[in-house]
């Protein structure tokens, strides 16, 4: 698996209150293959920016939304689909820590983002602030009855998965 495959699997599993055990094969002499080192370094680079969206978080009221959630997990069944799901930036996963909701896009968006689960029609969804982890760019956003609309960032902090930290009131 590539670093991207592992990170997306991790985000999906954690959003469903799961844990990921990662096995890195070792040669007989105790060294690690260069390809495996590259995968681990790719995971570490993503985690350096986005670890707060994984560690000490809990599942939110919904694990996610988007094409893979609708197709693979109809209604509210939250099955694990390792290796069978192809994600895009339209797929979103959620984790929460206190009033901070982490909204992870399972890819890099080509257009502006709409998070339907954060519609202004739900009383508990009142948003105070939105930031993109790993970026100093000010996030342009608006909450409507359709959902949370986020303008695509000019600079992308990583090419695996973008994480927005949404602070709720």
């Amino acid at each position: 698996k590539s670093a991207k495959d592992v990170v997306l699997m991790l985000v999906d599993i954690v959003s469903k209150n799961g844990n990921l055990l990662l096995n890195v094969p070792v040669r007989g002499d105790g060294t690690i293959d260069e390809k495996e080192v590259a995968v681990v370094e790719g995971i570490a680079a993503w985690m350096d920016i986005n670890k707060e969206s994984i560690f000490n978080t809990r599942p939110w009221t919904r694990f996610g939304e988007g094409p893979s959630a609708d197709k693979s997990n109809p209604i509210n069944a939250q099955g694990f689909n390792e290796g069978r799901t192809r994600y895009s930036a339209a797929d979103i996963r959620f984790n929460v820590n206190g009033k901070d909701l982490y909204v992870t896009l399972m890819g890099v968006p080509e257009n502006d983002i709409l998070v339907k689960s954060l519609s202004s029609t739900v009383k508990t969804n009142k948003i105070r602030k939105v930031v993109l982890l790993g970026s100093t760019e000010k996030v342009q956003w608006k909450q409507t009855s359709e959902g949370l609309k986020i303008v695509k960032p000019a600079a992308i902090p990583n090419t695996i998965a973008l994480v927005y930290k949404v602070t709720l009131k």
Side-chain angles (χ1 to χ4, degrees):
K1 296 187 186 308
S2 68
K4 180 177 182 171
D5 292 337
V6 175
V7 167
L8 295 181
M9 187 177 5
L10 172 66
V11 169
D12 185 54
I13 289 170
V14 170
S15 74
K16 298 171 186 172
N17 201 30
N19 296 300
L20 176 66
L21 176 63
L22 184 61
N23 182 18
V24 179
V26 180
R27 293 182 181 136
D29 65 358
T31 61
I32 299 173
D33 181 271
E34 294 79 21
K35 291 178 184 176
E36 303 302 331
V37 170
V39 170
V40 172
E41 287 175 347
I43 296 166
W46 187 87
M47 288 295 287
D48 283 345
I49 296 170
N50 302 293
K51 62 185 165 209
E52 74 177 88
S53 72
I54 300 294
F55 297 126
N56 298 318
T57 60
R58 303 294 305 158
W60 192 46
T61 54
R62 295 186 61 171
F63 78 94
E65 68 180 44
S68 70
D70 298 340
K71 178 181 173 190
S72 301
N73 303 302
I75 306 174
N76 62 2
Q78 296 182 3
F80 294 93
N81 304 311
E82 181 180 345
R84 289 181 275 159
T85 305
R86 297 290 165 235
Y87 298 109
S88 72
D91 292 302
I92 300 171
R93 296 295 179 267
F94 303 107
N95 292 331
V96 68
N97 185 351
K99 292 189 177 234
D100 293 328
L101 175 66
Y102 295 95
V103 177
T104 304
L105 307 181
M106 305 291 269
V108 176
E110 295 179 14
N111 302 306
D112 292 349
I113 302 130
L114 176 64
V115 184
K116 295 176 185 175
S117 297
L118 289 172
S119 163
S120 62
T121 60
V122 179
K123 188 177 182 181
T124 57
N125 284 351
K126 301 303 176 206
I127 297 172
R128 188 166 55 93
K129 184 168 114 177
V130 178
V131 296
L132 175 59
L133 298 185
S135 174
T136 57
E137 182 180 336
K138 183 176 176 170
V139 176
Q140 296 177 20
W141 61 276
K142 183 177 182 179
Q143 190 176 27
T144 69
S145 59
E146 292 178 64
L148 172 62
K149 295 179 179 182
I150 302 172
V151 175
K152 179 186 171 197
I156 304 295
N158 71 78
T159 58
I160 295 178
L162 301 186
V163 181
Y164 285 93
K165 180 179 178 180
V166 177
T167 304
L168 301 172
K169 290 184 181 179

